[in-house]
Amino acid sequence: MTSTPETPSTHSAPEPPRSAPDVDGVSDEDVTGWRRMHPVTPALKGWKVLVAVLAIGWFQVGENIEQAIDLLHGPAFLALIGGILLIGLIGFGYSAIAWRVTRFAVTDEAVHLRTGILFRQQRQARLDRLQAVDVVQPLLARLVGLAELKLEVAGGSGSAVSLAFLREADAEALRAELLALSAGLQRPGSVPVAPPADGAEADAPAPVAPVPFEVAPERQVYELPMGRLVRATLRSGAVPVLLLVAAGAITLAVVSRDISAAFVLVAPLFAGVTFVWSRINQGANFRAAISPDGIRLRHGLTEARAQTVPPGRVQAIRLRQGPLWRGPDWWRVEINVAGYGQGDQQQRDTVLHPVATRDEAMTALWLVLPDLGVQDPTELVTAALTGRDDDGGFTPAPRRARWVDPVGWRRHGVRVTERALVTRSGRIWRSVDVVPHERTQSLGLEQGPIQRRLGLASFVLHSTPGPVSPRVNHLDAAVAAELLDEQAERARNARATATPEQWMRAVGAPTPAVPNPVPTTAPAGEVPGAGSTVPTGPTTAPAGEVPGAGSTGSPVPPAAGADG
């Protein structure tokens, strides 16, 4: 049984009609201001072809060491060097041609990207569907001061638009412009440009230049110490498995008296080392900040990433804890964002906090949903993290659920607040999922043959692709069916009153033709408005609040302390 809030049925919750710009009707001739990537881009992309060829050659000749040694002598070596240089030139030449034909333009409604040498392609990323903006700096790009700008747009796999590479300052300015336009702000206007001193005609009109959007100010709320990241990675489930694999390889070699027998376990050993390194590499220097543009996340060791998730783009949030993290009470906080759920992005870009203390986990939850819709949110979160049965007002699984889940049945539970649906599960691996009512995609009930005989059913809430898959197993069948009907009604009502996609229009942020010079620093406890202006009236936030982040006017907790 499934209920989809977007469909008009007894369980429907359709969104109110909203006017959307006619982006699809814009032709190539209507778009102006085309720009190219940085001229160094071919050099940063062309080397990948050379590395790929060297890797293929290594795997081919690596199987026969004697043949590989023979290639180092005589004319075969010169031919090998010549072939590598030729392939390198072809790779760099192709990258140079691709750079020349690749252009992008930014309008008030979309980002347009032209690519292709033999087959031309033009893509459009609608700003009203913008989910996140990332500034990515691989190691080589960081050395030369360049960055890649990635736009995540709701639209399924392959909907992301990548602008690589731009100067770091240009990438930051373009990110501020895109976030301001997607928020519903208008361009600040133009200012006159001083004419040259000599040779200028008296009657010639003064040239004008557009006023750029300023980067919205931010306030840091937490950061992850490197020591805690390393300790948490060593206490993760992958490290014990890695040690068992290493011990098995050594034991196998000793018992068989043949070291080559241990090479059977090289592949899983390499996978474990790669997992540990990726966790440390991606979580290094992790810090989060709040701004009118949304949630800003910065992390990465060899590849620096600066993510910006606009308000209301997080579809669901999960707090998860393994058994080895139980002692220090650490939690991993992950989110679902449309466009972030494919491939390796799910392990890299959907993390709101890699290793959070309980206070930091609550702070991360507040960043996404400042108002949980209860009088005592701390009690609710505590009961969700460590409670069981009906602690904290949760609706638990009945006692007969122990026949299908004898270990964790007492942890299964759900609680519905005015703003969100909260589920908890897992006795060994604890998990808490929070889904705002307006982000409900569809609902469903699942019932297997044993559940049917016991009068049980599993309640499933479908979200966008990502690490969070909210569900409550083994509820009473009647309770689950009633929850399905009630949650569909709540989702319908929440969507009817949800903040529009262009969130700054909901608070009436003014946009003057030419912005007044305003300092980017805010008074203690306040963050001014997005873009190039400081909103007044309803957008001015009192101390401890940030306008435009999550729910307008909802309190943001103070920055969580970081331990060593």
Side-chain angles (χ1 to χ4, degrees):
M1 180 179 181
T2 303
S3 173
T4 305
E6 288 77 9
T7 58
S9 65
T10 57
H11 302 299
S12 62
E15 291 192 44
R18 297 170 183 166
S19 59
D22 185 12
V23 180
D24 298 333
V26 178
S27 62
D28 294 353
E29 293 76 11
D30 297 331
V31 180
T32 59
W34 292 96
R35 291 178 277 177
R36 287 197 177 101
M37 312 298 175
H38 196 276
V40 183
T41 298
L44 294 178
K45 291 187 174 182
W47 70 271
K48 296 180 181 180
V49 178
L50 183 61
V51 171
V53 172
L54 292 177
I56 294 174
W58 171 261
F59 284 113
Q60 292 295 327
V61 302
E63 298 178 356
N64 194 324
I65 302 300
E66 295 181 358
Q67 293 182 1
I69 295 176
D70 293 340
L71 290 177
L72 300 178
H73 304 283
F77 177 72
L78 297 178
L80 177 63
I81 297 299
I84 293 176
L85 292 177
L86 179 61
I87 294 175
L89 290 176
I90 294 175
F92 283 101
Y94 180 85
S95 299
I97 298 175
W99 167 82
R100 187 170 183 82
V101 301
T102 300
R103 299 182 181 184
F104 73 96
V106 179
T107 65
D108 292 342
E109 294 81 20
V111 176
H112 304 262
L113 177 64
R114 287 179 177 176
T115 57
I117 299 178
L118 299 178
F119 301 95
R120 298 295 179 89
Q121 182 183 22
Q122 178 166 326
R123 303 179 61 187
Q124 297 176 349
R126 287 178 48 173
L127 296 181
D128 61 334
R129 299 180 63 85
L130 189 66
Q131 301 297 311
V133 183
D134 300 348
V135 177
V136 184
Q137 284 189 289
L139 184 58
L140 291 180
R142 197 192 315 178
L143 294 178
V144 294
L146 300 183
E148 174 187 4
L149 193 68
K150 297 187 65 176
L151 313 178
E152 299 293 343
V153 183
S157 178
S159 61
V161 172
S162 174
L163 305 179
F165 287 92
L166 306 172
R167 287 195 311 119
E168 184 178 359
D170 294 340
E172 293 287 350
L174 185 56
R175 177 177 66 171
E177 178 182 359
L178 297 179
L179 288 170
L181 293 175
S182 65
L185 298 179
Q186 298 178 357
R187 295 183 182 274
S190 302
V191 294
V193 178
D198 299 330
E201 298 182 5
D203 299 334
V208 295
V211 176
F213 287 97
E214 294 182 3
V215 178
E218 65 180 45
R219 177 162 63 93
Q220 182 170 306
V221 291
Y222 57 75
E223 62 179 332
L224 175 61
M226 192 65 180
R228 191 203 304 170
L229 175 64
V230 174
R231 295 197 306 270
T233 304
L234 295 178
R235 295 173 71 120
S236 64
V239 173
V241 174
L242 184 63
L243 296 177
L244 290 176
V245 171
I250 296 175
T251 303
L252 185 61
V254 172
V255 171
S256 62
R257 296 182 179 180
D258 183 8
I259 192 173
S260 62
F263 283 93
V264 178
L265 301 177
V266 169
L269 188 65
F270 179 77
V273 172
T274 302
F275 174 81
V276 172
W277 164 248
S278 64
R279 281 293 179 93
I280 296 177
N281 185 34
Q282 295 168 11
N285 305 316
F286 196 99
R287 54 195 185 276
I290 188 69
S291 79
D293 287 342
I295 303 172
R296 293 182 179 176
L297 306 174
R298 292 180 175 87
H299 57 94
L301 188 62
T302 60
E303 180 182 83
R305 303 182 71 88
Q307 301 173 238
T308 303
V309 182
R313 295 314 197 257
V314 177
Q315 306 293 321
I317 182 171
R318 166 170 290 180
L319 288 71
R320 187 170 177 83
Q321 182 188 67
L324 299 180
W325 286 13
R326 195 73 52 82
D329 199 15
W330 291 332
W331 296 83
R332 181 176 177 86
V333 186
E334 298 173 309
I335 56 176
N336 279 3
V337 177
Y340 267 165
Q342 291 81 27
D344 59 348
Q345 290 182 328
Q346 185 167 326
Q347 295 294 331
R348 181 188 61 200
D349 298 335
T350 59
V351 179
L352 193 57
H353 201 310
V355 189
T357 62
R358 180 172 298 195
D359 290 340
E360 291 173 349
M362 292 185 180
T363 303
L365 178 58
W366 257 252
L367 293 181
V368 176
L369 194 62
D371 181 14
L372 281 175
V374 294
Q375 294 183 350
D376 192 348
T378 302
E379 179 185 1
L380 169 62
V381 176
T382 301
L385 296 178
T386 59
R388 59 184 183 180
D389 296 332
D390 58 353
D391 293 345
F394 277 76
T395 301
R399 183 174 179 81
R400 58 183 180 276
R402 70 186 187 277
W403 296 108
V404 288
D405 189 359
V407 176
W409 69 273
R410 300 186 67 180
R411 274 279 298 168
H412 295 307
V414 59
R415 179 173 175 183
V416 180
T417 71
E418 294 181 0
R419 291 296 312 281
L421 183 139
V422 184
T423 69
R424 69 183 183 195
S425 61
R427 186 153 189 167
I428 300 177
W429 281 272
R430 295 175 177 174
S431 180
V432 177
D433 298 341
V434 181
V435 183
H437 294 318
E438 65 272 14
R439 299 302 165 191
T440 300
Q441 303 295 319
S442 64
L443 307 168
L445 294 180
E446 295 179 358
Q447 192 177 49
I450 300 179
Q451 287 180 313
R452 190 158 47 246
R453 185 172 183 85
L454 295 174
L456 304 175
S458 296
F459 175 81
V460 183
L461 192 151
H462 304 114
S463 181
T464 55
V468 186
S469 300
R471 64 182 296 133
V472 188
N473 291 325
H474 316 313
L475 291 176
D476 183 90
V479 172
E482 183 180 359
L483 178 61
L484 180 75
D485 296 334
E486 294 178 354
Q487 185 61 23
E489 180 67 22
R490 294 188 191 95
R492 182 189 305 113
N493 296 334
R495 285 181 179 273
T497 59
T499 302
E501 296 296 331
Q502 296 179 326
W503 61 92
M504 289 305 293
R505 290 187 177 180
V507 295
T511 306
V514 179
N516 296 324
V518 180
T520 56
T521 57
E526 294 186 6
V527 176
S532 59
T533 62
V534 177
T536 59
T539 61
T540 303
E545 298 184 5
V546 179
S551 299
T552 304
S554 299
V556 176
D563 60 351

